[in-house]
Amino acid sequence: MVKAAIFDLDGTIANTLADLTTAINATRKYYGLDEVDEEFILKFVNGDTVTFILACIPDIPKDEIENGVAVYKRTYSKCYLEKTKPYDGIKESLEELKKSGIKLAVFSNKSDEYVKMMADELFGGIFDITLGSGIFPSKPAPDGALDILDRFGVSSDEAVYIGDSDVDVETAKNANMRAVGVSLGYRGHAFLEALGGCDVVDTPDEMVAIIKGGR
């Protein structure tokens, strides 16, 4: 019986790629580097903020990392909701799960402050708990997910983790949770299917059905 559903953010319930690219390119420009496109950015989205920045801009000198992170954060604070939007049908699906009595949470490698702001501004406070990086070890470490379950009073076998990447599937595995991979975001069906260890869904309706079907 599923009592709690924990969601990744970027590429799972919201398309954040354009605004992430804007912030990365502003940081690259600061260092005199050429712009990169969304396809390049996509390869590194799953890491925490510093890991993400350094993967996208590996030329930053070690003694400049703090400045680079500051430039990125300053830019992202201004653009994080310029183009970012929930995927079609996600809000309605979350509402249906909520009405079914399932507790909802977000656990992301994005900075905790942005997870909280974006969850509230994009989804109107529908999530019971929102948690980002900086408090617990980053995914795929299960600590954050397990803390959410503890606060919910729910066991791992009563919960499901929903994401779009190998990091998310590994997080679910490490937390002994069932994994659901959604292909509507940054990775396609074939990628998720090849991972194994997760149920793959292509639409929000399929996501709801498979989560409620585990009740």
Side-chain angles (χ1 to χ4, degrees):
M1 180 178 180
V2 174
K3 295 182 179 179
I6 305 177
F7 293 82
D8 172 51
L9 177 56
D10 299 68
T12 298
I13 57 176
N15 188 341
T16 61
L17 195 56
D19 292 333
L20 292 172
T21 303
T22 295
I24 285 294
N25 279 330
T27 312
R28 289 181 65 88
K29 182 178 180 180
Y30 177 82
Y31 288 104
L33 301 172
D34 293 337
E35 290 190 351
V36 293
D37 59 19
E38 291 183 5
E39 184 176 356
F40 177 87
I41 296 289
L42 181 58
K43 296 180 286 187
F44 309 114
V45 168
N46 298 314
D48 60 49
T49 300
V50 175
T51 301
F52 172 60
I53 294 168
L54 294 180
C56 292
I57 318 174
D59 305 299
I60 298 179
K62 288 185 178 180
D63 61 354
E64 272 288 311
I65 291 175
E66 187 174 339
N67 285 336
V69 171
V71 171
Y72 173 87
K73 287 184 174 181
R74 188 161 58 245
T75 305
Y76 195 61
S77 70
K78 299 175 182 177
C79 75
Y80 72 100
L81 284 180
E82 282 186 358
K83 297 181 179 178
T84 291
K85 294 181 180 179
Y87 288 109
D88 290 344
I90 284 292
K91 282 185 176 180
E92 293 80 2
S93 295
L94 292 172
E95 289 167 359
E96 183 173 347
L97 291 172
K98 187 85 166 182
K99 289 177 182 177
S100 298
I102 295 174
K103 297 180 183 296
L104 303 179
V106 174
F107 175 40
S108 168
N109 275 346
K110 185 184 288 292
S111 295
D112 186 65
E113 59 181 316
Y114 285 105
V115 172
K116 287 176 167 48
M117 289 190 297
M118 293 169 75
D120 184 57
E121 294 180 52
L122 294 174
F123 300 99
I126 195 170
F127 292 101
D128 301 293
I129 296 174
T130 55
L131 181 63
S133 67
I135 299 172
F136 293 98
S138 299
K139 298 184 299 182
D143 306 55
L146 294 174
D147 175 73
I148 290 170
L149 296 184
D150 184 60
R151 286 192 272 168
F152 279 158
V154 171
S155 63
S156 293
D157 59 2
E158 297 174 316
V160 61
Y161 189 88
I162 303 98
D164 73 306
S165 72
D166 51 335
V167 171
D168 297 320
V169 173
E170 191 67 18
T171 300
K173 177 182 176 182
N174 291 340
N176 294 314
M177 295 170 62
R178 181 183 176 191
V180 173
V182 293
S183 67
L184 54 96
Y186 297 161
R187 277 92 185 170
H189 188 105
F191 175 89
L192 293 166
E193 193 73 47
L195 289 177
C198 68
D199 298 300
V200 182
V201 298
D202 300 314
T203 68
D205 287 343
E206 289 179 11
M207 180 187 73
V208 169
I210 204 163
I211 294 173
K212 292 177 68 175
R215 291 173 64 82

